Amino acid sequence: MLDSVLDGLARVGDPTALLYLVIATLIGVVFGVLPGLSGLTALALLLPLIYGMEPGAGLAFLLAAHAVVNTGGSVTAILLGIPGAPANTATLVDGFPMAKQGRGGEALGAALAASGIGGVIGVVFLIILLPVLQPIVLLFGSPETFCLVIMGITFIAGLGHQNLTIGLISAGFGMYLGFFGYQQVSGVPRYWLDYDYLLNGFRLIPLALGLFAIPELVSLAASGGTIARDGARTGVLRADVYKGFRTAVSRKWLVLRSSMIGVVIGIIPGIGGETSPWVAYASARQTSPEGDKFGKGAIDGVIAPESANNSKEGGALVPTLAFGIPGSSAMALLLGGFFLVGLEPGPEFLKKHMDIAVSLALTVALANILAVVVLLGVARHLAAITKVRGHLLAPSLLVLLILGTYSVANSTTDVMFMFGFGVLGVLLREAGFNRPALLLGFVLAPLAETYLHISLNVQGWSFLLRPISLGILGLTLLALLWPMIRRSLRKIRS
Amino acid sequence: MRTSTRTTGVRGLVGAGLAAAALALAPAAHAQDAAAFYKGKTVKILVGSPPGGGYDAYARIIAPHLAKKLDAEVIVENRPGGGGLLALNMLVTGKADGLTLMHVSGEGAIMSQLTNRAGARWDVRKLVWLGRTAQERKIWFFSTKSKLKSLDDALKAKEIKWSATGPADNISDVAAVVSYVLGLNSKIVTGYKGARGMALAVIKGETDSGILSSSSAARLIKSGRLKGIAVVSRTRTPHLPDLPTIFEATKVPADKAWWIDFREKIGEAQRAMVTTPGVPADRVAFLRKAIGEVLTDPAVVAEAKKRRRIITYLPGAELAKVVEDALNHVKGERLELVKQVMLKKYF
Amino acid sequence: MRGLTVGLLAFIAVFIAVFLAAGEFVYDYSFPVHRFPIIIGLATIALAAFAVIRTLARPAPKDDDGENAPAWPRGTTGALLWLASALPMVIFLGYLVGPALFLLLYLRLHGEKWLTAILFAAGCAAFIYLGFHELLAVRVPLYPFWWPE
């Protein structure tokens, strides 16, 4: 094992490999920063480019680019309130209010630190688990996945801060929308109205961008002013960024816990990467003594999701490398990359090419660190975008969104739906509905349905008694009751 | 292209005369026409799944070589959705000019049609088959963690659980066929995400049994993760030469053997290039020839092999016959029985 | 904002109800297929109905912030319409001319100088062509659908 680590290090240290790493990282960051272009799109577009590259280098190229998309995406999420990728949506809930208060630099610094540390933690776990990768993946079956999905769904309640009823309705509506299209289990397309596009139901990226990005653009366009409100300090000093950075570094337990959440959810194939930042966010909120500040500019609300959405990369590599089973749709593309360069992840791969596996892990870590360094350097200038006039910014960003959405599946219909959801998003925002709950319900409900069906068919209701399932359900219950427990504990002490 | 028709007297006669002459000379001119037609144009190869998958990989291997043969630009366009259904629908409802091709799961297309899948707008008999790129046999395997240790155990078992992704997914239907032929007490659990997700479930021991294409199955069987039981075919597979066929491994009732043959025939169209129904015959011939040359080019085959993709070419015309045969095999009552077994009986 | 809230709640309830009914009576989905949507859908409708009643029963909020009870922000409708205009432009003019023209018109009619507008529009077209169409090989339809081949 140690030999492999050293070999892996040597691979990564190779000058050509390093060059690819740098280029890929920069590309990934740019993709992340540009709203509408997600990590998935980045991979899809870069995949054909690695033809003919040396296998390790080609894969490292893809991985490095993908690993840092969410780091770049945090920039747009915080400064513009527009998720650079769906996984950054959780960041904007607190990050954007911070930007509006003139604390954008601080938020950026915290996000970058969290991303970097989270990414590295994810890799550390991956490397630790490499020798025992397969047994780990085998531990998590459909029942465990179902319980994790349930945990995700219960955390939805923890996302909104005002009206529980409205939050539940938002979630319920999102879930209902998630049921459109093919039912995974039966193959019957629900509510497709004889319209081919709807066979797969509504799509995630048009929904996410429409619900979150378009309303922000509308606000920008309506006010015509800058994002950073008048009266708030619009300048972003280096000091601010470093302050945020240091804050994130000091919140050790929060970062660790959020990264763990990202890694675990990443390991389970079948749960999308979009879920982990939200679960981390909700968990941070439950356990923070300043839980009510979340949603209005709490820095923890930026640190938690950003740690999770970078650490999940390390987790997603686990089933991918262990069995050739993609831990996420991005990993499915990466798998394609493996085949393209003539490699096959799986048990044989780990035996023969452990050094490549290690080098890939290290690539992710290095890319994360590099991205953070680069972005820190330009953070001040990036933050200047909050000073650009709304009339210039809004239409330009909209064009980017249109192109990005089109790129996902070469579909103008996606673009049309994005606009449709955009209108809905504006209305929902003004009426105070809980859009994150809607999004999560949309993602999670069909998963719950599928995994419940499988679990029941495979084991009957006793699947709930499996040790890990019980553990997850227990954690969920604990997290739900934690605020109450903490209050009682305080009362007992005082 | 817009044409205007004039019906005024002399012009009409001359036009008709010229047309007659052109028609008489047509056959010789056609090959020229097709080549001229494609020169400089943009040809699209649709793929019904995201980049990186199997269908996409083959398409991208073929594209540059086809571009040279056609003297045209050939691009691959990914249109994921509905498990390839969306892209195929797009193909058959698009313009029949031969500029849009698709690397399709022929197997999936046939199965979808047979099972009346909602949303399928094609008739595989009318589809223009240009050539098969690859085809693999299906392997039946058990989990190493299952209580069932051998085929005989399965025959005697009170219940055997299978993993699959959904109805007519080329996994569950094969499982259903095997179960029906051998009289197994099967329960097929659908809903797993993708062939790999389904394989993982069997590896974990969540279910007892599953079906995969030979290359994917071979990997897992050779590494000891899965236990190979039989090849669902009359012949063995080169990927696992020691694995017996289902006919060798057990006694297949004579009156039910046709099920295996039938399903295998459908599987022959596993990966294929197709184009829109109604494309002019000369262009079809031109495309078939070009694709045939590409897929039999040793350099292309070697390039594909480097990327872990095996090419098993079958000319378009023959493929069309295979498809026709497979469908003629099941009509009327037999079709109802097939649908009942493949969609309802074991789910 | 009560009107908007109630309106949205009603929309959600009606939307779900319509599709549930379609599922049951028009498409005739079997129970295993329709069971989850029914459960979630009915629960959501019930909650929505409850929320509507509760919202209407409360007196209209004018208290806390005095006049600043959340109202439809000024200019939102106009901005929404303006931004929405990008869609038909992209559909009917293609992904090259459409966005460029959109930027040109938007910037000019929102007070930017001609030079700025033209530069942005040109830059946009260049970015789309070079960046997306060529570099990333995303074949956005450069020509509108009605353009003869």
Side-chain angles (χ1 to χ4, degrees), chain B residues 12-220:
Chain B
L13 278 174
V14 173
L18 283 174
L23 276 173
L25 293 169
H30 272 186
Q32 283 289 73
D33 282 344
F37 170 75
Y38 280 103
K39 195 179 171 73
K41 294 251 183 18
T42 303
V43 173
K44 237 192 303 200
I45 303 184
L46 290 176
V47 172
S49 49
Y55 291 93
D56 177 74
Y58 280 98
R60 289 186 194 270
I61 294 173
I62 293 174
H65 299 279
L66 192 61
K68 274 191 232 127
K69 297 266 180 212
L70 297 181
D71 200 10
E73 191 193 10
V74 177
I75 57 174
V76 174
E77 189 174 292
N78 296 84
R79 287 266 181 173
L85 216 140
L86 221 64
L88 189 50
N89 275 354
M90 243 187 87
L91 180 82
V92 300
T93 54
K95 258 200 289 201
D97 53 10
L99 288 176
T100 312
L101 317 177
M102 179 170 171
H103 189 234
V104 73
S105 166
E107 199 178 19
I110 299 174
M111 284 307 304
S112 299
Q113 187 176 336
L114 267 182
T115 55
N116 282 15
R117 187 161 204 213
R121 294 186 199 285
W122 57 81
D123 181 351
V124 289
R125 289 195 194 88
K126 299 213 187 85
L127 220 48
V128 176
W129 299 89
L130 298 173
R132 178 180 73 198
T133 50
Q135 172 241 358
E136 288 176 11
R137 294 174 190 72
K138 304 276 193 287
I139 308 279
W140 179 17
F141 52 83
F142 279 177
S143 167
T144 52
K145 303 208 170 134
S146 166
K147 275 184 290 199
L148 308 167
K149 301 290 172 204
S150 70
L151 208 159
D152 292 316
D153 283 347
L155 291 171
K156 286 185 254 152
K158 251 194 302 186
E159 189 182 55
I160 159 172
K161 289 208 174 89
W162 303 70
S163 302
T165 64
D169 60 350
N170 305 320
I171 295 175
S172 65
D173 46 287
V174 178
V177 165
V178 169
S179 304
Y180 187 68
V181 166
L182 297 180
L184 304 175
N185 298 316
S186 292
K187 174 135 182 69
I188 303 181
V189 181
T190 51
Y192 288 97
K193 201 153 182 236
R196 293 206 181 83
M198 159 255 150
L200 187 60
V202 183
I203 294 176
K204 283 185 199 163
E206 215 163 88
T207 50
D208 304 301
S209 177
I211 303 274
L212 271 183
S213 298
S214 48
S215 58
S216 320
R219 241 178 287 138
L220 295 167

Side-chain angles (χ1 to χ4, degrees), chain C residues 52-129:
Chain C
V52 167
I53 296 174
R54 196 177 59 174
T55 313
L56 290 175
R58 276 212 216 104
K62 252 187 278 183
D63 26 345
D64 307 326
D65 316 321
E67 293 306 312
N68 289 353
W72 189 252
R74 238 162 44 97
T76 305
T77 323
L80 191 55
L81 288 173
W82 253 114
L83 289 179
S85 72
L87 184 63
M89 277 196 229
V90 164
I91 294 181
F92 292 106
L93 297 175
Y95 280 74
L96 195 60
V97 175
L101 188 64
F102 168 70
L103 270 181
L104 185 71
L105 290 175
Y106 188 101
L107 291 177
R108 185 71 195 112
L109 293 172
H110 278 79
E112 297 294 331
K113 296 197 281 269
W114 266 115
L115 186 62
T116 319
I118 292 178
L119 278 176
F120 262 76
C124 165
F127 177 70
I128 293 175
Y129 186 72

Side-chain angles (χ1 to χ4, degrees), chain A residues 87-136:
Chain A
N88 292 109
T89 317
T91 314
L92 64 84
V93 173
D94 274 277
F96 191 48
M98 283 178 79
K100 285 196 265 201
Q101 296 159 16
R103 295 162 63 206
E106 199 184 327
L108 258 189
L112 290 176
S115 298
I117 301 177
V120 171
I121 293 183
V123 167
V124 166
F125 266 94
L126 175 63
I127 295 189
I128 293 178
L129 293 177
L130 268 176
V132 293
L133 230 41
Q134 282 135 35
I136 295 284

